[in-house]
Amino acid sequence: VNYRMCPETTETQMNVRRCFAVNGSEAAPTAIQTVLPDLTDFEFAGYKSCGTSNCSLWIYRKTEGYKENTYTMYTTPTTNPVKPVHYEMLGYDTLLGSHYDKYEMDFVDYSDEMPPPDVFDVPEGMTCTGF
């Protein structure tokens, strides 16, 4: 079982923290979900202002059917290691798995350190349901 903790918005509630359980099988195992895109096919596109400083800009374009998908990653230009700042998807959501739309993610407090294991525990009293 793979658990996903994420906000859910419905007709009556906005951004309520929920736990979703995704069952896997030997034929279709669940995978760890990442919030960082694979930048292998991205191309450096220069620098752009982001907030109070400049960011390195990385772009990947892909056509699926008749729809153009554009994925743009903003990173810190000079830190070592480079850190994500902002990610935009105009197309199919390749990270979280969803329909064609515009998605944006801000990385406000990013760390490349391993979090403590209890971060992944389901909170006491919370029930995990299917999507």
Side-chain angles (χ1 to χ4, degrees):
V1 176
N2 184 321
Y3 297 106
R4 293 185 183 188
M5 305 298 294
C6 49
E8 178 185 50
T9 297
T10 66
E11 291 80 15
T12 58
Q13 298 178 315
M14 185 169 171
N15 292 333
V16 176
R17 188 173 183 206
R18 292 281 312 270
C19 177
F20 298 99
V22 180
N23 290 316
S25 67
E26 192 172 323
T30 60
I32 295 173
Q33 181 177 351
T34 181
V35 294
L36 294 174
D38 177 356
L39 298 178
T40 301
D41 295 324
F42 283 63
E43 294 183 3
F44 180 69
Y47 299 96
K48 186 171 183 180
S49 176
C50 59
T52 59
S53 62
N54 281 334
C55 286
S56 296
L57 190 63
W58 302 87
I59 296 177
Y60 172 58
R61 289 187 175 86
K62 179 180 181 184
T63 302
E64 290 193 31
Y66 62 92
K67 292 187 177 183
E68 178 76 18
N69 298 269
T70 303
Y71 304 96
T72 307
M73 177 60 126
Y74 297 78
T75 64
T76 55
T78 57
T79 61
N80 188 11
V82 170
K83 294 186 177 186
V85 175
H86 182 78
Y87 185 53
E88 295 177 4
M89 296 174 275
L90 178 56
Y92 293 103
D93 179 353
T94 56
L95 286 180
L96 309 175
S98 193
H99 59 277
Y100 190 93
D101 208 337
K102 181 175 183 181
Y103 302 89
E104 294 188 58
M105 297 176 70
D106 288 315
F107 299 90
V108 179
D109 191 19
Y110 177 82
S111 171
D112 60 356
E113 299 291 320
M114 178 71 75
D118 64 346
V119 166
F120 301 101
D121 292 344
V122 175
E124 192 173 319
M126 182 172 276
T127 303
C128 298
T129 61
F131 282 100

